Amino acid sequence: MTVACGMLAFATAFAVSASSQDTDYLDSVTREAVESLKAEVAATPTDRETARERARLVWTWVNAYSLEGNYVPVNLTQTVSNLLSYPLPAGNARYLELDNYVRELALHEADPGALGTLVAKGGPFEAASFGTLEQTYTVGNRPIQVGGGFLVTKHFMTNHGIYQVNDPSGDNYLTVRSSNTEVEFEFEWVNIRGMHGGFRRPAPTLFARVVGSQLNPGDTVTVTYGDTTEGGRGLRFPTISSDRMPFPIYVALDSTRHFLSLPIQQVEVIGGRVAGVHGFVPSIVKSGDPFTVSIRAQDAFYNRATGEMPAWVVENEDETLATIDSGSNAIHTIEKIVLTEPGVYRFKIRSSDGSISGTTNPVLVEEDPKRRIYWGDTHGHSGFAEGIGSPDQLMRWAREDARLDYVTHSEHDIWMDDFEWNVLKDNVERYSEEGEFIAFLGYEWTVRKFQGGHHNVLFRTTADRKRIPAQTHGTLSRLYQGLREKHQPNDVVVIPHAHQPADYRMNDPELEPLVEIMSQHGTFEWFGRMYLNHGHQVGFIAASDDHLAQPGWTMPRGGSLSQQTGLGALRANTKSRDALFDAMRNLSTYASTGDRIILDFELNGGQMGQRIPFASSRQINGRVIGTAPIKDIAIVKNDEVFWERDYLIDQNAGETSEQTYQLVFYSDSEPAHPMDNPRGRRPWRGTVSLSGAKFAGHREVTPGALEITSESQANLNVITRGNVRSITVDLEEVTEEAEIRLQLRELAETGGIASYRANTPLPSVNLSFQLSELTDGSDRKEFKVDTYTDHISLRRVHESGVWDVQFEAKDFGTRQGDYYYVRVRQANDAIAWSSPIWVGGYPKQ
């Protein structure tokens, strides 16, 4: 992220250091080594011979520095990781980064006031609104010379307006002004790579260069985002609510343009007016036991709504369960709800005027539940790494907004220091409450695929927990070794995931019981199958991999996070720390794409995640209670579907002029080469046109997937990555000659960072479906994309399907160690996967 600069002039200016103070945060041996390092960097640049020794010392130094509450420069810890975890590079860019950070730390030690202060003014701002934010920098003890200046950056995950400096009357107009009237600024665009530029590749970033005269200590510089003095509407703020929306600024003290990061200021973005409502209930309760219904009003972007809320009515079928008066609170809990009759219940929520409505997930009332289902997210990020928001927001969102039973703030270790690790530990202790909400301490071990890939590491408790980070344990075998040296295996859960894929050839059976097969990055069922096919006894779980401090309930954001958030279901008897952690270790789990689908699955009485005694006769029983009509259920045996039932398709020819169809889009996400990153996203964009029928309406899972422009024409915009995306269309005035035509534009795959296969161009396609010629109610068109076969299906579906399905199947086998798991798909594209059951054989030891 930093660029080359000439900082040698600074090196001799740092002669005064913390070692001359009365107290020192470093022990005497480390202090002596650090002072020698400063002198060595000033005299001799880091190279391949000295890089690792110096990086190890910087790692010790910066962690001690952080524990004093000091600001750690952006990306410093990642630079250390790059030098300690991977083969040393031939070029000198990484070594120069390390030297620059040594100089930057030395500058802060020698002169804590060198860089001055930054203060933000304005807000809170409503999501997607226009407004004006000011950040004022007061020059510190070091002047900013002519040729130096300010890098006004944009975090790569914020979707606010793009800064512009040429049209004072336009939106997103940005100005930079100083209290020093002799100073002026000239703008240019500098290519920057990193979390405050282009994350994967350099992107243009605004630089305000000082001209005319230097800025002196005490001078102020004000950056105005959305300057409205010439008539503009201001800056369009992000659609994301956050308690700490980043608007990063870097300062260059001279023309060498060594950009020094300034601490991110607290800028709050809040949700907008209410546009929807959702409810949360426990999945399983005992007959007669009281439980809580939680209601959450949200804006159009899933943020917690603000402003005046309508009165709400909560109904159980036609019976009013509760009423809630209008007011300003977006979240309500209705306590001590009691249901005595066993069965499945779904509560409806509507505003008193009927303009807004929603539902809860289903609750199954049983006389004597064998176990409960607890929902959570093991993989969420914040602004502590390359994400957005504070650690406190992540915990509050999990507990209050998403109504999770458990969560892990699994921050990337390559961006984490010891101070931040202590914050994560403190939050786990502060926010956890036995029986109510359990936070697990964890982090994401973050190395590239050729050294083991990404893994989340969770701990049962917080006491004496030491992370085993990439900076010191940069290969998967070293991670396993380090965890075993520092912790008891029974207190650790390691969960690999797919978008920077873990090495599925390796697995520590005591540490790594689960595999994450879905997140906002994509759907990766293939990844779980890879572990199973390599003989590992692992269960399935899903998570959000959210980077906005919004775990468990957040909308797709586009780009690399284009899917709904995933959830992990834990099957346990109580909501306690030990019971939930043991459920993960015992593989008593299943994965969901975010809907709280109730799934049960037995084989000869054995439960998901178990290995049962060998039997050639195998009786499979299960039940699915959906959050939407069930589309299909499949049982996978040894990587092949051996039993499948479709519950939604209408195989009878339509005899009326009003009919309902689903357009279903699919693309595979499995990598073309072993151990490579998954295939990227496939966009499907173009038009949908009708002849012999008219649009009567449509329903879509992803907002904006279909935009109806006339009675016979619509625009299409769908993205898939290992999942299906369905659009349900209601047609009227359907004739025998009715036809649906699709014209797909020439595009290319997007995202993905595969090493051995580039994103592939996708040619334009014209195709049509004759409604009268659907075989058994469906038709499918396939498209070859080198080694892949993508497809579009048209399905005639029932207007209302079944929501509660009990299924059974029989199988016979002679092989020890066969595995079975269940996959459920709903009409709203939600998916759930059970953990496998193994028949006979024996697990790895």
Side-chain angles (χ1 to χ4, degrees):
M1 175 115 171
T2 51
V3 297
C5 66
M7 288 288 290
L8 297 181
F10 287 157
T12 56
F14 309 149
V16 178
S17 71
S19 61
S20 64
Q21 300 171 7
D22 294 336
T23 59
D24 193 355
Y25 62 91
L26 297 176
D27 62 73
S28 59
V29 174
T30 305
R31 169 54 64 190
E32 183 178 358
V34 164
E35 294 306 310
S36 296
L37 174 64
K38 293 177 187 178
E40 290 168 4
V41 166
T44 308
T46 298
D47 57 21
R48 288 173 64 94
E49 298 299 320
T50 59
R52 288 215 164 104
E53 180 181 0
R54 290 182 176 185
R56 290 189 188 98
L57 178 55
V58 170
W59 180 240
T60 300
W61 180 16
V62 75
N63 278 304
Y65 182 77
S66 74
L67 290 173
E68 296 297 301
N70 295 313
Y71 170 70
V72 174
V74 171
N75 277 348
L76 187 159
T77 56
Q78 186 192 29
T79 294
V80 171
S81 179
N82 287 333
L83 294 176
L84 295 182
S85 301
Y86 302 122
L88 290 171
N92 66 356
R94 293 295 188 194
Y95 311 134
L96 181 60
E97 285 180 9
L98 183 70
D99 289 350
N100 286 340
Y101 282 128
V102 169
R103 295 176 179 122
E104 191 167 350
L105 284 177
L107 175 63
H108 286 299
E109 275 200 343
D111 188 356
L115 293 190
T117 58
L118 183 67
V119 177
K121 178 182 177 182
F125 302 97
E126 184 178 311
S129 69
F130 285 86
T132 300
L133 165 70
E134 290 184 351
Q135 292 204 89
T136 299
Y137 173 75
T138 301
V139 180
N141 297 336
R142 300 298 173 96
I144 301 176
Q145 301 173 15
V146 172
F150 300 88
L151 194 66
V152 183
T153 71
K154 176 185 179 299
H155 192 289
F156 80 108
M157 284 190 173
T158 57
N159 59 354
H160 58 68
I162 303 301
Y163 311 140
Q164 60 93 6
V165 295
N166 296 318
D167 182 7
S169 63
D171 297 339
N172 309 311
Y173 181 57
L174 183 142
T175 58
V176 181
R177 298 186 177 94
S178 174
S179 62
N180 186 333
T181 58
E182 296 181 359
V183 173
E184 296 181 354
F185 297 94
E186 291 183 353
F187 295 106
E188 60 181 278
W189 294 91
V190 179
N191 284 328
I192 297 295
R193 177 179 176 177
M195 69 178 74
H196 299 154
F199 191 65
R200 299 292 182 194
R201 57 192 59 86
T205 303
L206 188 64
F207 178 57
R209 186 177 68 255
V210 173
V211 296
S213 177
Q214 73 175 19
L215 286 161
N216 297 310
D219 289 345
T220 61
V221 175
T222 298
V223 180
T224 303
Y225 305 77
D227 193 322
T228 61
T229 55
E230 297 295 328
R233 291 185 295 177
L235 176 71
R236 183 184 56 77
F237 277 83
T239 61
I240 307 156
S241 66
S242 179
D243 64 346
R244 192 175 290 275
M245 184 62 64
F247 289 87
I249 293 179
Y250 293 69
V251 60
L253 297 179
D254 57 28
S255 59
T256 58
R257 295 191 181 181
H258 174 62
F259 295 123
L260 307 172
S261 62
L262 301 174
I264 301 293
Q265 299 305 295
Q266 187 165 345
V267 177
E268 185 178 8
V269 177
I270 60 176
R273 64 181 182 179
V274 59
V277 65
H278 192 80
F280 303 92
V281 293
S283 289
I284 297 178
V285 300
K286 183 177 181 180
S287 174
D289 280 359
F291 64 93
T292 298
V293 178
S294 300
I295 308 299
R296 179 184 187 267
Q298 60 192 33
D299 68 7
F301 309 103
Y302 282 36
N303 303 307
R304 186 189 302 192
T306 59
E308 185 67 16
M309 304 294 156
W312 300 109
V313 180
V314 183
E315 298 173 324
N316 176 22
E317 295 183 347
D318 295 329
E319 175 188 359
T320 297
L321 194 68
T323 58
I324 300 170
D325 294 336
S326 60
S328 59
N329 291 332
I331 293 180
H332 299 273
T333 56
I334 307 167
E335 299 180 343
K336 298 182 179 179
I337 300 299
V338 175
L339 297 172
T340 57
E341 291 296 320
V344 179
Y345 298 83
R346 294 178 176 86
F347 305 128
K348 297 179 181 178
I349 311 149
R350 60 175 175 84
S351 57
S352 57
D353 64 3
S355 62
I356 300 174
S357 63
T359 61
T360 68
N361 56 288
V363 54
L364 173 62
V365 178
E366 296 182 313
E367 289 186 355
D368 186 21
K370 296 179 181 178
R371 67 191 63 80
R372 311 299 173 101
I373 299 173
Y374 299 108
W375 295 96
D377 192 343
T378 54
H379 188 178
H381 300 285
S382 76
F384 262 15
E386 86 284 34
I388 292 171
S390 73
D392 285 288
Q393 178 187 301
L394 186 145
M395 287 293 171
R396 291 193 302 267
W397 186 281
R399 188 175 66 180
E400 301 169 10
D401 291 78
R403 297 301 295 184
L404 299 181
D405 298 306
Y406 69 94
V407 77
T408 299
H409 183 174
S410 56
E411 208 57 275
H412 289 284
D413 56 358
I414 58 173
W415 283 296
M416 187 160 40
D417 55 51
D418 283 355
F419 174 83
E420 292 168 328
W421 179 243
N422 287 343
V423 170
L424 298 192
K425 288 198 289 188
D426 291 343
N427 275 358
V428 166
E429 295 166 359
R430 287 196 301 120
Y431 285 95
S432 294
E433 182 179 354
E434 287 285 295
E436 295 295 330
F437 176 76
I438 307 298
F440 290 107
L441 178 65
Y443 68 97
E444 182 171 345
W445 182 77
T446 312
V447 302
R448 293 194 287 271
K449 57 184 177 291
F450 58 84
Q451 292 191 212
H454 292 193
H455 293 66
N456 290 318
V457 179
L458 283 64
F459 297 111
R460 185 186 295 269
T461 59
T462 60
D464 300 321
R465 297 303 176 193
K466 306 292 184 183
R467 69 190 190 280
I468 309 300
Q471 287 90 345
T472 59
H473 294 70
T475 65
L476 185 54
S477 58
R478 289 174 184 156
L479 172 67
Y480 294 152
Q481 180 184 12
L483 288 170
R484 285 178 169 276
E485 289 174 351
K486 297 292 185 181
H487 307 282
Q488 292 297 316
N490 191 51
D491 292 332
V492 180
V493 165
V494 177
I495 306 175
H497 54 274
H499 75 272
Q500 185 69 253
D503 189 340
Y504 43 73
R505 298 169 300 183
M506 298 177 63
N507 170 266
D508 186 315
E510 287 191 293
L511 297 175
E512 197 169 75
L514 301 177
V515 176
E516 180 187 299
I517 61 171
M518 182 271 164
S519 72
Q520 285 193 275
H521 283 284
T523 299
F524 308 120
E525 183 180 340
W526 62 267
F527 186 62
R529 296 199 313 266
M530 288 294 185
Y531 274 85
L532 297 177
N533 293 339
H534 278 79
H536 307 311
Q537 184 167 313
V538 293
F540 292 162
I541 200 165
S544 68
D545 200 359
D546 170 75
H547 282 65
L548 309 176
Q550 296 181 349
W553 183 255
T554 186
M555 72 181 297
R557 298 295 174 181
S560 65
L561 301 174
S562 295
Q563 293 195 15
Q564 197 78 10
T565 179
L567 288 177
L570 304 184
R571 292 155 39 105
N573 291 324
T574 60
K575 194 192 302 187
S576 67
R577 177 172 300 280
D578 283 338
L580 297 186
F581 202 80
D582 287 342
M584 287 189 278
R585 289 194 52 80
N586 295 333
L587 284 61
S588 189
T589 69
Y590 63 93
S592 163
T593 55
D595 285 36
R596 302 188 185 197
I597 300 167
I598 298 173
L599 171 60
D600 198 11
F601 159 51
E602 295 183 352
L603 196 160
N604 289 359
Q607 304 296 312
M608 62 178 76
Q610 294 181 348
R611 184 179 294 269
I612 64 173
F614 176 79
S616 59
S617 179
R618 299 156 188 190
Q619 176 66 39
I620 297 170
N621 296 90
R623 184 180 184 183
V624 178
I625 302 171
T627 61
I630 306 302
K631 182 177 180 181
D632 56 50
I633 299 174
I635 302 174
V636 177
K637 174 187 178 182
N638 299 340
D639 209 25
E640 298 287 341
V641 173
F642 98 93
W643 181 94
E644 190 170 18
R645 293 290 184 274
D646 193 305
Y647 300 91
L648 189 63
I649 198 166
D650 184 358
Q651 297 185 359
N652 299 317
E655 297 179 355
T656 69
S657 63
E658 297 181 353
Q659 299 173 20
T660 301
Y661 293 85
Q662 268 193 344
L663 277 168
V664 183
F665 302 83
Y666 171 80
S667 66
D668 198 356
S669 66
E670 186 171 344
H673 302 273
M675 300 306 303
D676 202 0
N677 284 347
R679 178 194 182 191
R681 298 175 292 280
R682 165 148 194 171
W684 309 81
R685 297 194 184 102
T687 59
V688 179
S689 57
L690 304 178
S691 62
K694 294 180 180 179
F695 285 116
H698 78 288
R699 296 173 294 285
E700 58 192 9
V701 177
T702 305
L706 192 74
E707 177 191 13
I708 295 178
T709 56
S710 72
E711 62 184 19
S712 62
Q713 193 85 8
N715 295 324
L716 174 71
N717 185 4
V718 172
I719 295 176
T720 54
R721 193 184 193 193
N723 62 326
V724 298
R725 275 290 173 255
S726 301
I727 302 171
T728 302
V729 292
D730 299 316
L731 304 184
E732 61 185 4
E733 300 183 27
V734 179
T735 67
E736 291 185 2
E737 295 77 25
E739 181 182 46
I740 296 179
R741 294 189 299 271
L742 282 78
Q743 293 181 300
L744 301 177
R745 298 206 312 264
E746 181 180 350
L747 295 165
E749 296 168 347
T750 64
I753 46 176
S755 299
Y756 307 124
R757 176 186 179 273
N759 285 335
T760 300
L762 305 169
S764 61
V765 174
N766 293 326
L767 60 98
S768 63
F769 294 98
Q770 303 290 330
L771 303 191
S772 62
E773 297 180 3
L774 299 185
T775 302
D776 295 329
S778 68
D779 190 12
R780 185 162 102 170
K781 311 292 185 183
E782 295 185 344
F783 310 92
K784 293 295 293 184
V785 182
D786 51 62
T787 61
Y788 297 102
T789 301
D790 302 335
H791 59 76
I792 302 175
S793 300
L794 181 70
R795 298 159 45 92
R796 185 170 54 244
V797 297
H798 296 286
E799 292 186 9
S800 59
V802 293
W803 296 56
D804 186 350
V805 173
Q806 297 192 48
F807 63 94
E808 64 174 315
K810 290 185 177 180
D811 191 35
F812 297 89
T814 59
R815 197 185 81 157
Q816 297 270 356
D818 289 337
Y819 68 80
Y820 299 77
Y821 68 86
V822 173
R823 179 183 64 230
V824 179
R825 296 189 296 189
Q826 296 189 155
N828 67 348
D829 296 342
I831 310 174
W833 299 265
S834 78
S835 284
I837 297 175
W838 290 262
V839 180
Y842 52 90
K844 287 172 45 181
Q845 301 294 324

